[in-house]
Amino acid sequence: MSRIGRMPIAVPAGVTVTIAENNLVTVKGPKGTLERVLPAELEIKQEGSEIIVTRPNELKRIKSLHGLTRTLIKNMVVGVTEGYEKVLEINGVGYRAAKQGSKLVLSLGYSHPVEMEDPEGVTTVLDGQNIIKVQGIDKEKVGQHAAVIREKRLPEPYKGKGIKYATETIRRKVGKTGKK
């Protein structure tokens, strides 16, 4: 019945996975090290170059944790080998981004520039003045930092101004029409 939870996780060459007591999983790879405490109810074991997550019973709570645990481990393995990246676009007249050391300075039409410090383990790279790439090995941190940047000026539906994900499409609305 369970689809995702039962799939084995392939561990590529150059990546070491250690499973300590209380399901503390540590993944070391070419890009860095990630560690996370996973639910103790599930059994995580390494067989050769694969990691298998098994559940002890069919309780609803355990079943829901099964796929989650497997996906979290998979995200850690992908993070230390390839890393994660979110691309944001800034649209609008006078809207731009600049980098000062580890600070991201955004000009978004407010009376003041918005300054944001890069969190630990996440870097922001500018591609021109209106494309921001958020990169890191932890998928959760990368996604959260990209969401916080986007929140500073959400895209609006009339002119499409604001910060949006590169893959996102903004549903446009028709504005007011003049008197006849």
Side-chain angles (χ1 to χ4, degrees):
M1 287 288 257
S2 173
R3 291 148 196 69
I4 293 174
R6 291 199 178 141
M7 291 168 61
I9 304 162
V11 179
V15 176
T16 57
V17 178
T18 53
I19 303 156
E21 73 270 353
N22 297 339
N23 281 355
L24 172 69
V25 177
T26 307
V27 182
K28 287 183 184 167
K31 291 206 176 228
T33 305
L34 289 172
E35 66 177 21
R36 183 176 210 131
V37 177
L38 296 166
E41 297 95 330
L42 297 165
E43 188 181 328
I44 304 166
K45 55 182 178 261
Q46 189 167 6
E47 294 177 5
S49 65
E50 287 186 335
I51 297 171
I52 297 165
V53 180
T54 53
R55 62 177 182 238
N57 53 40
E58 297 295 311
L59 291 172
K60 187 170 183 171
R61 180 180 168 329
I62 303 297
K63 284 169 83 170
S64 65
L65 287 173
H66 191 197
L68 171 74
T69 304
R70 186 238 173 235
T71 305
L72 289 173
I73 296 170
K74 173 77 174 159
N75 288 345
M76 289 166 70
V77 171
V78 171
V80 296
T81 52
E82 301 163 29
Y84 287 100
E85 178 179 79
K86 289 258 186 193
V87 181
L88 297 161
E89 291 177 4
I90 302 175
N91 297 321
V93 178
Y95 289 13
R96 65 182 149 273
K99 198 80 166 130
Q100 292 177 355
S102 67
K103 269 189 187 166
L104 180 67
V105 181
L106 302 167
S107 301
L108 300 172
Y110 296 120
S111 61
H112 59 283
V114 178
E115 293 186 356
M116 300 183 70
E117 190 74 40
D118 288 350
E120 191 178 324
V122 176
T123 57
T124 52
V125 180
L126 292 179
D127 194 7
Q129 286 187 326
N130 62 345
I131 294 177
I132 304 168
K133 292 181 179 177
V134 183
Q135 300 169 334
I137 61 172
D138 191 343
K139 186 175 187 176
E140 212 173 306
K141 284 183 180 177
V142 169
Q144 181 63 39
H145 191 57
V148 169
I149 293 171
R150 181 180 179 271
E151 216 171 54
K152 297 299 177 189
R153 181 66 97 173
L154 293 171
E156 53 98 19
Y158 297 102
K159 291 184 178 176
K161 291 165 66 170
I163 303 174
K164 71 178 192 80
Y165 294 111
T167 56
E168 182 181 16
T169 53
I170 307 299
R171 293 186 71 196
R172 302 298 287 267
K173 291 183 178 178
V174 179
K176 295 179 186 176
T177 54
K179 286 186 179 178
K180 288 185 180 179

